[in-house]
Amino acid sequence: MARIPTGYRLRLVVTMLVCTVLILALIVRVGYIQLYRGEYLTDLADNLHYRERTLYARRGDILDRNNVVLSRSSSVCSISVIHAQVEDTQAVARLLSEKLELNYDEVLAKVEKKVALQNIKTRVDPEVAEEIRAAGLAGIQIDENFKRYYPFGSLASQTIGFAGSDSQGIIGLEVTYNPYLQGINGSILTLTNAKGIRLEGTEELRAEATAGNTLKTSLDIVIQQYAQQLLERTIQQKNAKRGAIIVMNPDNGEIYAMAIAPDFDLNDPFTINDEALAAQWESMDSTSQMNALNQMWRNFCINDTYEPGSTFKIITAAAALSENVVQLEETFSCGGALTVADRRIRCHKTGGHGMETFVQGVQNSCNPVFMTLALRLGAETFYEYLQEFQFDKKTGIDISGEAVGIMYDVADVGPVELATMGFGQSIAITPMQLMRAAAAAVNGGKLITPHFGTQILDHEGNVLTTLEFPVTENVVDAEVSQTLRSVLETVITEGGGSKAAITGYDIGGKTATSQKLPRSAKKYISSFLCFTPVEDAQIMTLMLIDEPEGIYYGGTVCAPVVKELLENILPYLGIQPEYTAEESQLPEVSQIEVPDLLGMSLSEAKRAAGGAALDVLGTGEQVVEQFPSPGEMINTDSKIIVYLD
Ligand SMILES: [Zn+2]
């Protein structure tokens, strides 16, 4: 081994000594820090904070079929104060109390509170928020949020539904389509010290919110308003408990209107609409209050079942014609009742309808005829049709909480139960189930899914998704459906639905007067179901009036109202009347040109309308919209709809 020179050895020893001293010093230093400064360092780390602020997503709009906005989220602001950043507490309190119309002392107390972030007011108009921002005072934070607004107030309230302040749908379409409408909230992350002040030299981390998409529906606000107005008038006239009018396209299941009365204000959905309940509201416990609100929000066309009565004869007739157990010209004899298994079950006409053909039996809505048909079918076959028409299932409508039909177990169906089911008793179904089954019976045999949603759109109105709903074909044969259509047309031309007849249109339908349970209470539901044009139905209407006073026959209470509705909405939908040579001579068919009423006051519009009657919607000063448009030709006895705003 080579000898290391002496000078080099000395340097090596010195270097090693220096290193040892340094390492020792480091150990001492670390020990000192761990022992004596640990607490200080923990404090330092704790004092670095991330402040997270939510960037709220704008909830998507709900539109009607003509892109009229039914539900919209508008921008509102929330104002808060970051105490540590405030330089002049009194100036801040003065500005905020003035602009936000709040008590100065209360605001000052909040501003002086030593918290990171103190909320002052939410749902502030963006213009007011901008005025506050413009004042440029330190320590005021303005966040943007959204407020749901329903431009038509109570219109279609149980159907459209409403969303809560957290942008979560609570009832109606707002719930069903929540995943599309809601959007995704974003956030801003800011690194701050313990006082909530952003650390110098740090960046904000920003994740932008994604706005919700738009739901386009089949609702038509013109038809909906018209149906609602007629419904409310009828309920008032008949001092009835409640009612509904549904207008649907029976070929594809699109619902144009679902008017329910009483309704409630979607902009104020937690205020009870019942005067008696409102008077004692404060003394009610929260469970009773919630029950009352749920009752008010309830859509009984979908959520509740009832005994349909004679409208159900459409289903019995469809089954009987399909099974060939009846011929159109076959004669029956009604003596005012039929004895089934020793029980005398009465016809609604106590004196009896006498000799009648099957077609006349439908026109007369004769109970013994339909009891006979049900008995001929037998319980098992009758039930096969109840299943074909899916009364044991939900219709699949795009509103939650749907009920299904309530019926006996087939093994428990004796002759009496079967006979009474034949004319629509001993079975409870929803109005929507009835409508869907009736649609299948007359549309050629297609069981459609009733629905409102048609498309999901992006913010520019581009179609992202076209919503599709199941259709079951051949529930009844096309031939049977055609026969049934023409039989039901005679109900309007010659039978109990004659009050719905409109010159120039062919309409098929069926009236009903159902007795509510218990029958001893003598309470009724009057109803009327019809479709038009008979050979290619585009409109099916079902009207129900629950507990009318006085005359309660469906043909008297509902048929004339539905006529009034159809007279106005059929031309609106482009379904024009076709007159025979004879009909075109009739006075009600002579035409006038629609005058321009826009901008006029109500009294001016009345004068300008000449002979034509006006239907007034809205309560404003002047006509902002009218239907039909100026220059169109209408029958002298039809009405012009005007909107006042
Ligand atoms: Zn009879």
Side-chain angles (χ1 to χ4, degrees), residues 334 347 353 356 366-368:
C334 166
C347 185
H353 288 103
E356 57 192 339
C366 177
N367 289 348

Side-chain angles (χ1 to χ4, degrees), residues 65 505 533 538 568-577 627 632:
R65 61 197 286 269
Y505 289 98
Q538 293 164 54
N568 288 280
I569 68 171
L570 293 176
Y572 166 76
L573 287 165
I575 305 168
Q576 298 302 336
F627 179 81
E632 279 187 41

Side-chain angles (χ1 to χ4, degrees), residues 437-458:
V442 302
N443 72 6
K446 272 190 299 185
L447 196 69
I448 47 80
T449 303
H451 61 272
F452 297 97
T454 55
Q455 289 174 330
I456 303 297
L457 312 176
D458 69 11

